[in-house]
Amino acid sequence: MALIYYVTHIQFDFGAIKLLKQECERIGISRPLIVTDPGVKAAGILQKALDALPGLTVAVFDQTPSNPTEAAVRAAAAVYQAQGCDGLIAVGGGSAIDCAKGVAIAATHEGPLTRYATIEGGSPRISERVAPLIAVPTTSGTGSEVARGAIIIVDDHRKLGFHSWHLVPKAAICDPELTLGLPPKLTAATGMDAIAHCMETLMAPAFNPPADGIALDGLARGWAHIERATLNGADREARLNMMSASMQGAMAFQKGLGCVHSLSHSLGGVDPRLHHGTLNAMFLPAVIRFNASAESIQKEQRLQRMAQAMGLTSANDIPDAIKDMNARLDLPSGLTAMGVQSEWFDKIIVGAMADHCHQTGPRLASADDYRDLLTQAL
């Protein structure tokens, strides 16, 4: 049985952040906690959000780490409860939005956060009691503003997924203007994250034709505009299309992901300093080659459709095209350049095989398969 669900209330335009108070009123939030990070605050974007909330009593948690942790969730939930908040506004990239989703659970549900992790059987425990959330993305990468999941490093250092339709933000305010000042390296890394979402969800075998269509269009937009957005951060058309690609990748990945993300999630838990989008870019070429022989890939001509969206003549050209794009974007040449060591492989493989994305790809990878993929990505 296929579940096809689209998805939430989205405001998408330059200047859309001005609608923040309107969305709070529509949802019934009068005492929001803004969850953000020091970089967003320093860039002046937090102030833009505060300026858009006249008359509301607003609390702020601005200490989200680059990879959200259970400790950060606890700290933000304590502010939420102490200030008597009745809803959340996440302002930032995927880290801030995922941290806010963790707070939405922790502030309204009993027990440690790990109890609600997907691989711990926790999804059914996440109820309608979650705090309502508005998401305002400031990067074009994770698409967490329209997704049902969050990725959080829990206290035992595992990087776990938390998934429930109750976690989907009640509103997404997608304002490309907020991304105009994003540095080139972050633009490239988050942009490749969005492209990886579109690619990997398209390769997933689950039946969801709307997701396939959304992913293909998102891939075309992302692939055509990522280099422009990276080279010229003020290119408004490129920024708009990258934000759309990010949103579309997450609208589609309800269908499932695969080995790229199971490896990235696991490796990101082993070394939290590594950027998730950059890891995805490193793994994509090897995983696409690995997936190419899958029956569902061949039956649906998924790689050929992907190549067409990327303006390539052959599906065989995709892995090298990704490597060439990574180089043009000045991303690392491989995992070795990111400081990853082969001695970590055993731990990465254990985490990848336990990850919630492991089961949803077109081919079920073995431990040896994961080792080979890691070796190719070095």
Side-chain angles (χ1 to χ4, degrees), residues 33 61 68 73 80 89 106 108 122 227 260 264 278 313 364:
L33 171 67
F61 176 82
V73 167
Y80 183 96
I89 299 172
T108 56
E227 200 167 2
V260 169
S264 292
T278 306
T313 56
L364 190 63

Side-chain angles (χ1 to χ4, degrees), residues 249-270:
M251 290 176 75
F253 68 42
Q254 61 176 271
K255 189 185 157 202
L257 291 164
C259 292
V260 169
H261 279 78
S262 52
L263 284 167
S264 292
H265 291 155
S266 180
L267 180 47
V270 172

Side-chain angles (χ1 to χ4, degrees), residues 314-338:
S314 167
N316 295 329
D317 297 333
I318 296 173
D320 286 341
I322 295 169
K323 287 187 175 182
D324 290 344
M325 179 64 82
N326 289 341
R328 295 201 301 274
L329 297 175
D330 199 28
L331 290 173
S333 57
L335 297 179
T336 301
M338 299 176 70

Side-chain angles (χ1 to χ4, degrees), residues 143-376:
S144 190
E145 69 273 8
V146 295
R148 73 189 190 279
I151 305 297
I152 297 169
I153 299 175
V154 297
D155 288 342
D156 64 11
H157 306 296
R158 289 181 296 165
K159 195 170 189 178
L160 301 185
F162 298 78
H163 296 84
S164 168
W165 292 112
H166 297 302
L167 290 178
V168 177
K170 302 297 183 185
I173 296 181
C174 297
D175 184 346
E177 193 168 299
L178 303 181
T179 69
L180 291 177
L182 207 63
K185 284 191 179 296
L186 191 55
T187 299
T190 55
M192 285 305 298
D193 192 18
I195 286 169
H197 291 157
C198 292
M199 287 183 164
E200 194 161 39
T201 199
L202 181 64
M203 290 186 285
F207 182 79
N208 192 327
D212 289 343
I214 290 169
L216 276 170
D217 183 81
L219 173 58
R221 291 176 188 275
W223 192 257
H225 291 93
I226 187 171
E227 200 167 2
R228 282 174 52 182
T230 301
L231 293 175
N232 177 12
D235 186 327
R236 291 171 69 87
E237 181 184 12
R239 290 297 189 181
L240 180 141
N241 279 281
M242 289 310 300
M243 183 160 275
S244 184
S246 175
M247 176 189 72
Q248 289 174 251
M251 290 176 75
F253 68 42
Q254 61 176 271
K255 189 185 157 202
L257 291 164
C259 292
V260 169
H261 279 78
S262 52
L263 284 167
S264 292
H265 291 155
S266 180
L267 180 47
V270 172
D271 186 349
R273 297 170 299 176
L274 301 175
H275 189 277
H276 174 72
T278 306
L279 290 175
N280 284 347
M282 300 300 101
F283 288 127
L284 266 171
V287 171
I288 288 171
R289 292 191 187 98
F290 173 73
N291 284 341
S293 62
E295 181 180 355
S296 61
I297 293 281
Q298 296 180 347
K299 181 179 178 181
E300 297 287 337
Q301 297 186 318
R302 296 191 184 279
L303 295 187
Q304 288 86 341
R305 294 157 70 190
M306 190 184 297
Q308 184 177 12
M310 298 166 71
L312 303 174
T313 56
S314 167
N316 295 329
D317 297 333
I318 296 173
D320 286 341
I322 295 169
K323 287 187 175 182
D324 290 344
M325 179 64 82
N326 289 341
R328 295 201 301 274
L329 297 175
D330 199 28
L331 290 173
S333 57
L335 297 179
T336 301
M338 299 176 70
V340 177
Q341 302 173 31
S342 58
E343 290 79 7
W344 301 358
F345 281 10
D346 288 347
K347 189 172 183 180
I348 297 167
I349 291 166
V350 169
M353 295 192 73
D355 189 76
H356 63 275
C357 294
H358 171 64
Q359 299 283 346
T360 55
R363 286 185 66 188
L364 190 63
S366 67
D368 287 341
D369 291 329
Y370 276 128
R371 191 174 302 277
D372 183 57
L373 293 171
L374 284 162
T375 300
Q376 289 184 55

Side-chain angles (χ1 to χ4, degrees), residues 94-117:
S95 295
I97 298 173
D98 283 5
C99 186
K101 289 179 180 178
V103 177
I105 300 169
T108 56
H109 291 65
E110 297 294 327
L113 193 62
T114 308
R115 169 177 164 80
Y116 302 95

Side-chain angles (χ1 to χ4, degrees), residues 115-125:
R115 169 177 164 80
Y116 302 95
T118 302
I119 65 168
E120 301 288 344
S123 292
R125 301 184 187 117

